[in-house]
Amino acid sequence: MARWKALPEELDPQIAEFTRQLRRLVDQGGLSAAALADRTGYSRTSWERYLNGRLLAPKGAVVALAEVTGTSPVHLTTMWELAERAWSRAESRHDRTMEQIRITRARAELGDYGGGAGTTTVDAPPVTPPSAEPPAGRRRVLLFLAGAVAVLVVLGTAFLLTGRGDGEGTREAARPSSPAATSATALPPGVKCVGVGCTGRDAEAMGCSGDLVTTARTATVGAATLEVRYSRTCGAAWGRITGAAPGDRVRVTAGGQTRRGDAVAGDTYTYTPMVAVGRAGEAEACATLASGRTGCTK
C-alpha cells in the first residue's frame, strides 16, 4: 500500500484531508491491507474503500487504527466528525439528485403512455357533400376527418401495445402495478429494495449502504459506538455497533418492527437487518454489551 490512487476530484476537502491523514498513519506504521484487516477487525476490502475515498471509515475503524498505530484518537476522531458532517451533506445532495431523477423518469413514463388517456368518443356531425359545402365548411370537414384519423391511430397503437385483442391485454394494462414494482423501476443501479421491501434484509446485500447511507443518530455504550444508519434512497434504517466484543448485541426499532444483530468472535462491529422508515428520526438503536452495559440512541 505504498502507492496510493489519486482521490476522486469531487471529494469534499475535509473528507480528502481526513483520508490523507489515514494514509499517513498507515504508511508510518508500515501496514499492508492484510495487516490492517487482521489487526483492526475490518475487512481488507473495507480498508481499500476507506483509503481510496470511496467510503467514509466508521468511527470504530478510526479508533482501531489509532490503537494499532499508537496514535492518540482524540485528534483523529475530531477530524472524523468533520468528515462525517461533510459526507452527510454530500449524501443529502446525492439524495436530492436521485429524487429529481426519479421524478423525471416518472414524468417520462407518464408521457409515454398518456397519449390516449383523455380520449373521448363523440358523435360525428353529418357531413354535407363537398360540392354543396362552402370553402369554410370544407375546411371544417377536413379538420374533423383528420382528428378522426388521429384517434384511430392512437387506438391502433394502444391495441398493439396491449399485445392481443381478446381483452386480456386490456385487463393487464388496466391492472394497477404494485407499489414495490413501481418504486423498483426508479431505483439507482445496485439498489434491490425500498421501504417495506427492505424490512428484515441485509443493507449491504441490498445495495443500501456505501454512498447511500448516513449516520442519523449515535451514542457511546461502554467502549462501543452505537449508531442508527439510514438510507433515504431505500427508505430504511438499521442499527450498528463498532468497537464491539463477542456477545455484544444491537437492535433497531421503528414502526413496531424490531431487528437484532449479535457480534461474534473476531468481529469488532455488527449491524442489524433493516426496518422500513419514512425518515431517519423514526428509528432507535439500542445495545446490550456482554459486560452488562446497555444504552440507546437519543
Side-chain angles (χ1 to χ4, degrees), residues 31-226:
L31 298 169
S32 65
L36 276 172
D38 182 61
R39 299 177 66 178
T40 65
Y42 290 81
S43 70
R44 175 174 180 166
T45 301
S46 294
W47 275 113
E48 289 173 348
R49 292 176 178 173
Y50 303 155
L51 296 169
N52 286 322
R54 295 167 53 198
L55 186 64
L56 182 67
K59 188 175 183 180
V62 174
V63 173
L65 179 61
E67 292 175 354
V68 167
T69 57
T71 305
S72 171
V74 176
H75 176 64
L76 201 57
T77 53
T78 299
M79 292 184 66
W80 175 85
E81 290 172 357
L82 295 174
E84 167 77 4
R85 295 191 191 105
W87 192 277
S88 298
R89 290 194 298 269
E91 286 176 340
S92 297
R93 290 193 296 270
H94 173 78
D95 287 343
R96 288 195 296 270
T97 300
M98 295 309 305
E99 183 176 359
Q100 186 59 47
I101 290 174
R102 289 196 293 271
I103 292 171
T104 302
R105 287 178 178 173
R107 287 174 176 169
E109 297 256 347
L110 291 173
D112 288 343
Y113 295 98
T119 304
T120 56
T121 303
V122 297
D123 294 332
V127 179
T128 307
S131 59
E133 188 75 16
R138 281 198 297 272
R139 284 195 297 272
R140 285 196 296 272
V141 171
L142 291 174
L143 289 173
F144 171 78
L145 292 175
V149 170
V151 171
L152 291 175
V153 169
V154 170
L155 292 175
T157 302
F159 178 86
L160 292 174
L161 288 173
T162 56
R164 49 188 181 273
D166 58 1
E168 184 176 348
T170 303
R171 289 193 296 274
E172 291 291 334
R175 185 180 300 145
S177 59
S178 67
T182 302
S183 300
T185 60
L187 293 177
V191 176
K192 302 175 184 178
C193 69
V194 64
V196 293
C198 292
T199 297
R201 312 296 288 274
D202 185 281
E204 292 187 1
M206 293 295 103
C208 296
S209 58
D211 295 340
L212 302 180
V213 67
T214 185
T215 298
R217 295 180 177 181
T218 185
T220 300
V221 182
T225 299
L226 173 66

Side-chain angles (χ1 to χ4, degrees), residues 21 60 93 115 128 173 207 219 234-235 262 264-265 276 297:
Q21 178 63 24
R93 290 193 296 270
T128 307
C234 292
D262 298 339
V264 298
T297 55

